[in-house]
Amino acid sequence: WVDMLKPTKILVPTDFSEYSDKALKQAIDIAKQYNAEVYVLNVVAPIDKYIIDYCMLGAFIKGIEVSAKKTAIDNMKKQLEKFPLAKEVKVSIDVRFGLSYDEILKEAERVGIDLIVIASLGQSGLAKYIIGSVARNVLRSAKCPVLLTK
């Protein structure tokens, strides 16, 4: 089915789990075969402003978000280093704050993604035979093909 698709823009959401590594490897392999670009996305849960003491300033919260984004970018770079083939394809990385599946779908629309490669389980992999809630929601709502990896 991938031959019929000939993807040009592949989105790979990552939570840095071993499952995400497998999805990223698969996406890089496909990208190399079809000269496609890989977009790696990490979604960070937003800081719950209700939990934080009301005396904390917005600038402090912004500082925490900036730090979280930098950490995620560093982690994505380290993750990509595991795959030498990644140097042979065009790769973009991005970090978003919000609800994981929602941000993945928004990014797919924004960039014009034509294939999403996502791990069927993530860090919260409750059971080997149940598709994770993020993957399930992406699969249900994506406007492009979705490749689930184990």
Side-chain angles (χ1 to χ4, degrees):
W1 63 269
V2 176
D3 278 335
M4 295 181 344
L5 177 67
K6 294 195 189 316
T8 59
K9 295 179 178 181
I10 303 169
L11 178 62
V12 186
T14 183
D15 62 5
F16 312 114
S17 66
E18 64 181 282
Y19 304 107
S20 289
D21 281 352
K22 290 175 184 175
L24 183 56
K25 181 185 183 317
Q26 185 86 30
I28 291 168
D29 289 347
I30 294 168
K32 176 68 176 158
Q33 183 175 352
Y34 292 99
N35 197 28
E37 183 170 357
V38 175
Y39 293 80
V40 184
L41 177 68
N42 176 249
V43 181
V44 178
I47 296 168
D48 191 338
K49 291 167 178 61
Y50 300 106
I51 293 174
I52 296 177
D53 184 75
Y54 69 92
C55 294
M56 289 186 164
L57 301 174
F60 179 74
I61 293 170
K62 190 69 179 164
I64 293 171
E65 288 177 345
V66 167
S67 177
K69 185 171 185 171
K70 182 188 180 317
T71 299
I73 288 170
D74 290 345
N75 286 339
M76 279 188 273
K77 288 177 180 175
K78 286 179 194 159
Q79 188 177 28
L80 283 163
E81 287 172 7
K82 297 177 189 177
F83 308 104
L85 197 58
K87 292 180 173 80
E88 298 179 32
V89 297
K90 186 172 180 191
V91 177
S92 300
I93 59 177
D94 200 3
V95 178
R96 297 266 185 239
F97 290 87
L99 190 59
S100 294
Y101 73 86
D102 191 43
E103 292 301 319
I104 292 165
L105 295 168
K106 285 180 189 174
E107 183 77 353
E109 284 286 310
R110 186 181 73 78
V111 176
I113 295 297
D114 45 29
L115 176 64
I116 298 172
V117 180
I118 187 169
S120 58
L121 294 172
Q123 285 181 334
S124 63
L126 300 170
K128 290 187 185 293
Y129 306 107
I130 299 173
I131 295 176
S133 62
V134 173
R136 185 174 44 249
N137 284 315
V138 169
L139 187 60
R140 182 182 308 133
S141 303
K143 294 184 175 145
C144 65
V146 177
L147 173 61
L148 288 176
T149 63
K150 294 198 225 181

